[in-house]
Amino acid sequence: MIELHTDQEVAEMAAAGEFVSSTLQTLKSSAVVGTDLLELDALAHDLIRRRGAESCYLDYAPSFGTGPFGYVLCTSVNDAVLHGKPHSYRLRDGDLLSLDFAATVDGWVADSALSMVVGTAGADDLELIELTERALEAGIAAAVPGNKTGDISYAIGNIAREAGLSVNLEFGGHGVGRTMHGDPHIPNAGRPGRGFPLKPGLVLAIEPWFMRGTDKLRVDPDGWTLRSADGSRGAHSEHTIAVTKDQPIVLTRNRATGGPAA
């Protein structure tokens, strides 16, 4: 079911957005060469506890995963592109790390993701990250009344097409509210003018994720971590936004810089 939220409810969601954004910034600062993925998850767990928030991931058990996720943070490294299940792995120089984090504060959910290079950054990785960030901003700009969800998808996919990338349509953006994943589904490519009409009060997680060499995925034995089928690297950027009668409100924008939560 697609839900529309009041101005007051959108204002209440800001607390969740600020917490998710600040947590990702803390995690990004802590992700250095030698940091274990389990240490990042433990840090996120501690920040949730101190805030009095709730994890959206810990007991999450959708049809596309194997059992409850069991952690509070997705940590995807290099060719792991989505739903990376934390495990004992110490980050190495040049690793491309994506962090995806969602939490509930006072009953409202916010969901956001960023990608970064640990230590020495290669030009190809930086370009891939920048492409997802540009696609995210293009998708946000299209999230205005009068457009449809397909306009968001088209804006995202156009960035990928111009860069010569193919796009996986299995996983993409989604509605956000009292739960993490709701309707409508927003694939990362599509046709303009198609889909659900965008109306004030619609809250969405918009999340471009691109792989360098393929649009096919394979699943790790852990039943969760999704990797590119050809071993190429991937990057992921995500914000939770609210459609208003004017311009979109980015609830997970990093307030300290005014830029993307990345």
Side-chain angles (χ1 to χ4, degrees), residues 2 8 10 15 33 43 65 69 89 137 148-150 155 175 182 188 197 204 206 234 251 254 257 262:
I2 296 175
Q8 178 60 35
V10 170
V33 174
L43 174 56
F69 187 71
Y89 172 83
E137 294 303 321
K148 295 185 177 180
T149 51
N188 286 322
L204 304 169
I206 299 175
L251 296 168
N254 179 16
T257 64

PDB file of all heavy atoms in Angstrom, residues 2 8 10 15 33 43 65 69 89 137 148-150 155 175 182 188 197 204 206 234 251 254 257 262:
ATOM      1  N   ILE A   2       0.521   2.216  -0.824  1.00  0.00           N
ATOM      2  CA  ILE A   2       1.263   3.472  -0.893  1.00  0.00           C
ATOM      3  C   ILE A   2       0.649   4.460   0.090  1.00  0.00           C
ATOM      4  O   ILE A   2      -0.559   4.704   0.078  1.00  0.00           O
ATOM      5  CB  ILE A   2       1.240   4.039  -2.318  1.00  0.00           C
ATOM      6  CG1 ILE A   2       1.964   3.066  -3.261  1.00  0.00           C
ATOM      7  CG2 ILE A   2       1.875   5.421  -2.372  1.00  0.00           C
ATOM      8  CD1 ILE A   2       1.898   3.455  -4.715  1.00  0.00           C
ATOM      9  N   GLN A   8       3.185  17.332   9.307  1.00  0.00           N
ATOM     10  CA  GLN A   8       3.651  17.071  10.662  1.00  0.00           C
ATOM     11  C   GLN A   8       4.405  15.749  10.735  1.00  0.00           C
ATOM     12  O   GLN A   8       5.453  15.646  11.386  1.00  0.00           O
ATOM     13  CB  GLN A   8       2.463  17.057  11.635  1.00  0.00           C
ATOM     14  CG  GLN A   8       2.835  16.749  13.086  1.00  0.00           C
ATOM     15  CD  GLN A   8       3.813  17.748  13.669  1.00  0.00           C
ATOM     16  OE1 GLN A   8       3.755  18.945  13.354  1.00  0.00           O
ATOM     17  NE2 GLN A   8       4.739  17.270  14.494  1.00  0.00           N
ATOM     18  N   VAL A  10       6.007  14.238   8.269  1.00  0.00           N
ATOM     19  CA  VAL A  10       7.292  14.414   7.588  1.00  0.00           C
ATOM     20  C   VAL A  10       8.276  15.133   8.504  1.00  0.00           C
ATOM     21  O   VAL A  10       9.463  14.775   8.575  1.00  0.00           O
ATOM     22  CB  VAL A  10       7.110  15.183   6.264  1.00  0.00           C
ATOM     23  CG1 VAL A  10       8.461  15.573   5.673  1.00  0.00           C
ATOM     24  CG2 VAL A  10       6.319  14.334   5.271  1.00  0.00           C
ATOM     25  N   ALA A  15      14.026  13.485  12.574  1.00  0.00           N
ATOM     26  CA  ALA A  15      14.905  12.969  13.622  1.00  0.00           C
ATOM     27  C   ALA A  15      15.558  11.664  13.190  1.00  0.00           C
ATOM     28  O   ALA A  15      16.758  11.436  13.424  1.00  0.00           O
ATOM     29  CB  ALA A  15      14.117  12.769  14.914  1.00  0.00           C
ATOM     30  N   VAL A  33      41.970   1.537   6.875  1.00  0.00           N
ATOM     31  CA  VAL A  33      42.713   0.298   6.658  1.00  0.00           C
ATOM     32  C   VAL A  33      42.916  -0.418   7.994  1.00  0.00           C
ATOM     33  O   VAL A  33      43.375   0.182   8.970  1.00  0.00           O
ATOM     34  CB  VAL A  33      44.069   0.589   5.979  1.00  0.00           C
ATOM     35  CG1 VAL A  33      44.899  -0.681   5.884  1.00  0.00           C
ATOM     36  CG2 VAL A  33      43.850   1.188   4.595  1.00  0.00           C
ATOM     37  N   LEU A  43      29.931  -0.744  16.204  1.00  0.00           N
ATOM     38  CA  LEU A  43      29.836   0.699  16.431  1.00  0.00           C
ATOM     39  C   LEU A  43      28.431   1.190  16.097  1.00  0.00           C
ATOM     40  O   LEU A  43      27.833   1.969  16.856  1.00  0.00           O
ATOM     41  CB  LEU A  43      30.874   1.426  15.571  1.00  0.00           C
ATOM     42  CG  LEU A  43      30.817   2.956  15.565  1.00  0.00           C
ATOM     43  CD1 LEU A  43      30.917   3.523  16.978  1.00  0.00           C
ATOM     44  CD2 LEU A  43      31.921   3.521  14.675  1.00  0.00           C
ATOM     45  N   GLY A  65      16.158 -12.875   1.279  1.00  0.00           N
ATOM     46  CA  GLY A  65      17.272 -13.223   2.151  1.00  0.00           C
ATOM     47  C   GLY A  65      17.066 -14.601   2.762  1.00  0.00           C
ATOM     48  O   GLY A  65      16.013 -15.214   2.624  1.00  0.00           O
ATOM     49  N   PHE A  69      18.507 -11.169   9.131  1.00  0.00           N
ATOM     50  CA  PHE A  69      19.807 -10.626   8.737  1.00  0.00           C
ATOM     51  C   PHE A  69      20.812 -10.720   9.883  1.00  0.00           C
ATOM     52  O   PHE A  69      21.972 -11.078   9.683  1.00  0.00           O
ATOM     53  CB  PHE A  69      19.644  -9.181   8.268  1.00  0.00           C
ATOM     54  CG  PHE A  69      20.888  -8.581   7.690  1.00  0.00           C
ATOM     55  CD1 PHE A  69      21.364  -8.988   6.459  1.00  0.00           C
ATOM     56  CD2 PHE A  69      21.583  -7.586   8.377  1.00  0.00           C
ATOM     57  CE1 PHE A  69      22.519  -8.424   5.914  1.00  0.00           C
ATOM     58  CE2 PHE A  69      22.732  -7.016   7.840  1.00  0.00           C
ATOM     59  CZ  PHE A  69      23.202  -7.435   6.613  1.00  0.00           C
ATOM     60  N   TYR A  89      36.374  -9.392   8.458  1.00  0.00           N
ATOM     61  CA  TYR A  89      37.235  -9.013   7.343  1.00  0.00           C
ATOM     62  C   TYR A  89      37.823  -7.653   7.658  1.00  0.00           C
ATOM     63  O   TYR A  89      37.085  -6.705   7.947  1.00  0.00           O
ATOM     64  CB  TYR A  89      36.431  -8.944   6.041  1.00  0.00           C
ATOM     65  CG  TYR A  89      37.222  -8.376   4.871  1.00  0.00           C
ATOM     66  CD1 TYR A  89      38.074  -9.180   4.124  1.00  0.00           C
ATOM     67  CD2 TYR A  89      37.129  -7.018   4.540  1.00  0.00           C
ATOM     68  CE1 TYR A  89      38.803  -8.656   3.057  1.00  0.00           C
ATOM     69  CE2 TYR A  89      37.849  -6.492   3.482  1.00  0.00           C
ATOM     70  CZ  TYR A  89      38.686  -7.304   2.746  1.00  0.00           C
ATOM     71  OH  TYR A  89      39.408  -6.778   1.704  1.00  0.00           O
ATOM     72  N   GLU A 137      21.204  12.514  -7.114  1.00  0.00           N
ATOM     73  CA  GLU A 137      20.747  13.901  -7.172  1.00  0.00           C
ATOM     74  C   GLU A 137      19.768  14.105  -8.331  1.00  0.00           C
ATOM     75  O   GLU A 137      18.793  14.861  -8.206  1.00  0.00           O
ATOM     76  CB  GLU A 137      21.943  14.845  -7.298  1.00  0.00           C
ATOM     77  CG  GLU A 137      22.853  14.864  -6.082  1.00  0.00           C
ATOM     78  CD  GLU A 137      22.119  15.219  -4.801  1.00  0.00           C
ATOM     79  OE1 GLU A 137      21.226  16.099  -4.820  1.00  0.00           O
ATOM     80  OE2 GLU A 137      22.421  14.609  -3.754  1.00  0.00           O
ATOM     81  N   LYS A 148       5.997  11.223 -12.252  1.00  0.00           N
ATOM     82  CA  LYS A 148       5.660   9.884 -11.774  1.00  0.00           C
ATOM     83  C   LYS A 148       6.928   9.151 -11.372  1.00  0.00           C
ATOM     84  O   LYS A 148       8.038   9.624 -11.622  1.00  0.00           O
ATOM     85  CB  LYS A 148       4.899   9.117 -12.854  1.00  0.00           C
ATOM     86  CG  LYS A 148       3.532   9.740 -13.182  1.00  0.00           C
ATOM     87  CD  LYS A 148       2.746   8.895 -14.167  1.00  0.00           C
ATOM     88  CE  LYS A 148       1.367   9.506 -14.414  1.00  0.00           C
ATOM     89  NZ  LYS A 148       0.570   8.694 -15.371  1.00  0.00           N
ATOM     90  N   THR A 149       6.743   8.003 -10.738  1.00  0.00           N
ATOM     91  CA  THR A 149       7.924   7.265 -10.283  1.00  0.00           C
ATOM     92  C   THR A 149       8.849   6.930 -11.456  1.00  0.00           C
ATOM     93  O   THR A 149      10.068   6.879 -11.294  1.00  0.00           O
ATOM     94  CB  THR A 149       7.507   5.973  -9.561  1.00  0.00           C
ATOM     95  OG1 THR A 149       6.583   5.238 -10.380  1.00  0.00           O
ATOM     96  CG2 THR A 149       6.860   6.283  -8.214  1.00  0.00           C
ATOM     97  N   GLY A 150       8.276   6.724 -12.637  1.00  0.00           N
ATOM     98  CA  GLY A 150       9.106   6.446 -13.803  1.00  0.00           C
ATOM     99  C   GLY A 150      10.044   7.582 -14.158  1.00  0.00           C
ATOM    100  O   GLY A 150      11.108   7.345 -14.752  1.00  0.00           O
ATOM    101  N   ALA A 155      15.571   9.361 -14.739  1.00  0.00           N
ATOM    102  CA  ALA A 155      16.665  10.286 -14.421  1.00  0.00           C
ATOM    103  C   ALA A 155      17.889   9.533 -13.913  1.00  0.00           C
ATOM    104  O   ALA A 155      19.034   9.856 -14.270  1.00  0.00           O
ATOM    105  CB  ALA A 155      16.195  11.299 -13.377  1.00  0.00           C
ATOM    106  N   GLY A 175       9.183   2.897  -0.986  1.00  0.00           N
ATOM    107  CA  GLY A 175       8.520   3.745  -0.018  1.00  0.00           C
ATOM    108  C   GLY A 175       9.077   3.536   1.382  1.00  0.00           C
ATOM    109  O   GLY A 175       9.578   2.465   1.716  1.00  0.00           O
ATOM    110  N   GLY A 182       8.434  -0.251   1.665  1.00  0.00           N
ATOM    111  CA  GLY A 182       7.033  -0.171   1.286  1.00  0.00           C
ATOM    112  C   GLY A 182       6.899   0.164  -0.182  1.00  0.00           C
ATOM    113  O   GLY A 182       7.884   0.300  -0.912  1.00  0.00           O
ATOM    114  N   ASN A 188      16.025   1.459 -10.908  1.00  0.00           N
ATOM    115  CA  ASN A 188      17.035   2.451 -11.255  1.00  0.00           C
ATOM    116  C   ASN A 188      17.157   2.713 -12.755  1.00  0.00           C
ATOM    117  O   ASN A 188      18.152   3.266 -13.227  1.00  0.00           O
ATOM    118  CB  ASN A 188      18.388   2.049 -10.668  1.00  0.00           C
ATOM    119  CG  ASN A 188      18.423   2.287  -9.171  1.00  0.00           C
ATOM    120  OD1 ASN A 188      17.881   3.269  -8.680  1.00  0.00           O
ATOM    121  ND2 ASN A 188      19.052   1.376  -8.441  1.00  0.00           N
ATOM    122  N   PRO A 197       1.807   8.384  -9.668  1.00  0.00           N
ATOM    123  CA  PRO A 197       1.969   9.846  -9.622  1.00  0.00           C
ATOM    124  C   PRO A 197       2.586  10.297  -8.303  1.00  0.00           C
ATOM    125  O   PRO A 197       2.208   9.815  -7.227  1.00  0.00           O
ATOM    126  CB  PRO A 197       0.525  10.353  -9.751  1.00  0.00           C
ATOM    127  CG  PRO A 197      -0.250   9.218 -10.327  1.00  0.00           C
ATOM    128  CD  PRO A 197       0.400   7.972  -9.810  1.00  0.00           C
ATOM    129  N   LEU A 204      10.125   8.534   0.126  1.00  0.00           N
ATOM    130  CA  LEU A 204      10.798   7.511  -0.674  1.00  0.00           C
ATOM    131  C   LEU A 204      12.268   7.395  -0.301  1.00  0.00           C
ATOM    132  O   LEU A 204      12.911   8.393   0.028  1.00  0.00           O
ATOM    133  CB  LEU A 204      10.723   7.876  -2.160  1.00  0.00           C
ATOM    134  CG  LEU A 204       9.349   8.120  -2.773  1.00  0.00           C
ATOM    135  CD1 LEU A 204       9.514   8.735  -4.157  1.00  0.00           C
ATOM    136  CD2 LEU A 204       8.567   6.824  -2.846  1.00  0.00           C
ATOM    137  N   ILE A 206      15.463   6.694  -2.347  1.00  0.00           N
ATOM    138  CA  ILE A 206      15.966   6.635  -3.716  1.00  0.00           C
ATOM    139  C   ILE A 206      17.397   6.128  -3.645  1.00  0.00           C
ATOM    140  O   ILE A 206      18.216   6.707  -2.917  1.00  0.00           O
ATOM    141  CB  ILE A 206      15.889   8.015  -4.389  1.00  0.00           C
ATOM    142  CG1 ILE A 206      14.432   8.491  -4.444  1.00  0.00           C
ATOM    143  CG2 ILE A 206      16.492   7.972  -5.786  1.00  0.00           C
ATOM    144  CD1 ILE A 206      14.273   9.903  -4.977  1.00  0.00           C
ATOM    145  N   GLY A 234      31.141  -2.456  -7.421  1.00  0.00           N
ATOM    146  CA  GLY A 234      29.899  -1.713  -7.420  1.00  0.00           C
ATOM    147  C   GLY A 234      29.916  -0.596  -6.400  1.00  0.00           C
ATOM    148  O   GLY A 234      30.713  -0.604  -5.458  1.00  0.00           O
ATOM    149  N   LEU A 251      15.695  14.019   3.792  1.00  0.00           N
ATOM    150  CA  LEU A 251      15.692  13.813   5.239  1.00  0.00           C
ATOM    151  C   LEU A 251      17.019  13.289   5.753  1.00  0.00           C
ATOM    152  O   LEU A 251      17.346  13.473   6.939  1.00  0.00           O
ATOM    153  CB  LEU A 251      14.568  12.847   5.611  1.00  0.00           C
ATOM    154  CG  LEU A 251      13.155  13.361   5.322  1.00  0.00           C
ATOM    155  CD1 LEU A 251      12.139  12.237   5.449  1.00  0.00           C
ATOM    156  CD2 LEU A 251      12.790  14.504   6.249  1.00  0.00           C
ATOM    157  N   ASN A 254      23.369  15.227   4.901  1.00  0.00           N
ATOM    158  CA  ASN A 254      24.327  15.558   5.946  1.00  0.00           C
ATOM    159  C   ASN A 254      24.256  17.053   6.231  1.00  0.00           C
ATOM    160  O   ASN A 254      24.697  17.871   5.435  1.00  0.00           O
ATOM    161  CB  ASN A 254      25.746  15.163   5.496  1.00  0.00           C
ATOM    162  CG  ASN A 254      26.793  15.512   6.530  1.00  0.00           C
ATOM    163  OD1 ASN A 254      26.480  15.767   7.678  1.00  0.00           O
ATOM    164  ND2 ASN A 254      28.044  15.512   6.108  1.00  0.00           N
ATOM    165  N   THR A 257      27.497  19.507   6.058  1.00  0.00           N
ATOM    166  CA  THR A 257      28.102  19.995   4.826  1.00  0.00           C
ATOM    167  C   THR A 257      27.087  20.508   3.818  1.00  0.00           C
ATOM    168  O   THR A 257      27.436  21.233   2.898  1.00  0.00           O
ATOM    169  CB  THR A 257      28.909  18.873   4.141  1.00  0.00           C
ATOM    170  OG1 THR A 257      27.983  17.832   3.763  1.00  0.00           O
ATOM    171  CG2 THR A 257      29.951  18.293   5.074  1.00  0.00           C
ATOM    172  N   ALA A 262      27.588  11.361   2.306  1.00  0.00           N
ATOM    173  CA  ALA A 262      28.637  10.481   1.839  1.00  0.00           C
ATOM    174  C   ALA A 262      29.982  11.131   2.097  1.00  0.00           C
ATOM    175  O   ALA A 262      30.054  12.272   2.482  1.00  0.00           O
ATOM    176  CB  ALA A 262      28.468  10.218   0.339  1.00  0.00           C
TER     177      ALA A 262
END
